[in-house]
């Protein structure tokens, strides 16, 4: 069994000088599948290029709520066309962000709900961005009958976690869980049902404690998995097995195939 990074922006400019090295290090560390989500229409091509270049990388395509200044209604049409051509593993990264100021809520909701319709039409899971918006995101998931995907970088309450799980979603845990001060998040990681958990790095962001304020990378996933194993009182191999199976279920991945071949 190998590790799956369910959320890594390997196409980001932070990796432009050493992306080959980063990908090779991740592979050597046992991270044999990396989900690379888009954030706006203009980086669809970069995401797809990364996934074609590196074995095990698979794309998700979507319009991120923090980039609403760049989104146009016609990008939704282009997203549909790209999905038909490329068959990504998910729609993402999409959602709502009520933490960052000056992101118009109505515009965010428009692009989010339109993309949920696309996910429903193509029967694809979604990769969710949700900051200070879990209840609003859950409301829309129920409204459109979306019952598969990952709540990326989950940071809500126990009640909200259980609501996502009832909706059919997995919860993404990564670098934030490695900080001892994150007591609520660590408690959730330790106590939630094992079938609800997946691992992620959100690289180059969301650096773990040992890389505080530095660039994160997918090669850090084994150490993040070890933290989860310690919190739950199980072995890292068990964490690897559980979270990889959960990721495959959430995103309809075939681990033995994806770990050997890049996306086409």
């Amino acid at each position: 069994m190998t590790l799956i990074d369910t959320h890594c922006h390997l196409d980001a400019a932070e990796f432009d000088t050493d992306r080959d090295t980063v990908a090779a290090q991740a592979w050597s560390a046992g991270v044999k599948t990396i989900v690379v989500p888009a954030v706006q229409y203009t980086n669809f091509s970069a995401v797809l290029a990364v996934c074609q270049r590196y074995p095990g990388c698979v794309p998700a395509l979507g319009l991120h709520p923090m980039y609403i200044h760049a989104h146009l209604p016609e990008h939704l049409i282009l997203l549909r066309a790209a999905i038909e051509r490329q068959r990504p593993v998910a729609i993402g990264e999409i959602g709502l962000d009520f933490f960052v100021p000056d992101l118009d809520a109505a515009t965010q909701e428009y692009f989010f709900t339109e993309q949920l319709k696309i996910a429903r039409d193509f029967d694809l899971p979604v990769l969710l961005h949700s900051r200070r918006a879990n209840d609003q995101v859950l409301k829309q998931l129920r409204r459109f009958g979306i019952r598969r995907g990952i709540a990326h970088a989950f940071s809500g309450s126990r009640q909200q976690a259980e609501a996502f799980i009832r909706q059919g979603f997995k919860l993404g845990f990564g670098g934030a869980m490695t900080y001892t001060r994150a007591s609520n998040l660590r408690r959730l990681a330790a106590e939630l049902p094992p079938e609800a958990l997946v691992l992620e790095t959100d690289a180059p962001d969301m650096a773990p404690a040992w890389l505080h304020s530095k660039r994160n990378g997918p090669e850090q996933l084994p150490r993040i998995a070890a933290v989860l194993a310690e919190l739950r009182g199980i072995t890292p191999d068990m964490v690897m097995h559980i979270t990889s199976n959960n990721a495959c279920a959430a995103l309809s991945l075939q681990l033995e195939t994806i770990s050997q071949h890049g996306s086409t």
Side-chain angles (χ1 to χ4, degrees), residues 38-228:
V39 295
Q40 57 183 317
Y41 175 70
T42 55
N43 88 310
F44 284 10
S45 59
V47 165
L48 294 167
V50 162
C51 292
Q52 290 169 354
R53 180 175 179 85
Y54 301 111
C57 289
V58 294
L61 299 178
L63 306 175
H64 193 295
M66 288 178 60
Y67 294 82
I68 57 169
H69 62 280
H71 303 333
L72 299 172
E74 51 261 41
H75 291 165
L76 294 164
I77 299 171
L78 295 169
L79 173 60
R80 282 184 178 270
I83 292 166
E84 290 177 348
R85 291 194 309 270
Q86 305 296 337
R87 311 306 299 183
V89 298
I91 307 297
E93 177 177 356
I94 68 173
L96 299 172
D97 193 312
F98 297 154
F99 173 76
V100 176
D102 302 322
L103 293 177
D104 182 72
T107 304
Q108 286 191 62
E109 187 167 287
Y110 167 73
F111 281 102
F112 180 45
T113 56
E114 289 300 310
Q115 289 179 97
L116 291 181
K117 294 176 186 177
I118 294 172
R120 182 184 61 190
D121 291 347
F122 284 94
D123 192 25
L124 283 171
V126 296
L127 302 182
L128 293 172
H129 175 102
S130 179
R131 283 202 294 185
R132 296 188 180 173
N134 285 326
D135 292 340
Q136 296 90 336
V137 166
L138 281 160
K139 175 184 175 181
Q140 298 301 342
L141 295 177
R142 297 183 188 112
R143 176 186 173 194
F144 292 99
I146 307 299
R147 302 196 59 83
R148 192 160 56 98
I150 296 171
H152 152 62
F154 182 77
S155 61
S157 67
R158 178 66 178 257
Q159 182 180 18
Q160 290 169 333
E162 292 172 348
F164 275 111
I165 294 167
R166 286 195 301 271
Q167 192 64 22
F169 277 68
K170 312 300 182 186
L171 307 180
F173 287 86
M177 172 188 65
T178 67
Y179 291 84
T180 55
R181 66 178 182 270
S183 55
N184 181 62
L185 189 61
R186 289 163 71 89
R187 188 179 307 112
L188 290 174
E191 297 177 357
L192 288 173
E195 62 271 16
L197 309 178
V198 296
L199 290 171
E200 59 177 36
T201 61
D202 198 25
D205 300 318
M206 207 166 76
W210 53 87
L211 287 179
H212 182 61
S213 298
K214 298 180 181 178
R215 187 188 74 175
N216 193 12
E219 75 282 354
Q220 301 300 321
L221 200 64
R223 288 188 68 179
I224 293 171
V227 172
L228 181 58

Side-chain angles (χ1 to χ4, degrees), residues 177 224-239:
M177 172 188 65
I224 293 171
V227 172
L228 181 58
E230 182 178 359
L231 290 172
R232 296 189 70 90
I234 60 178
T235 67
D237 282 349
M238 291 177 68
V239 164

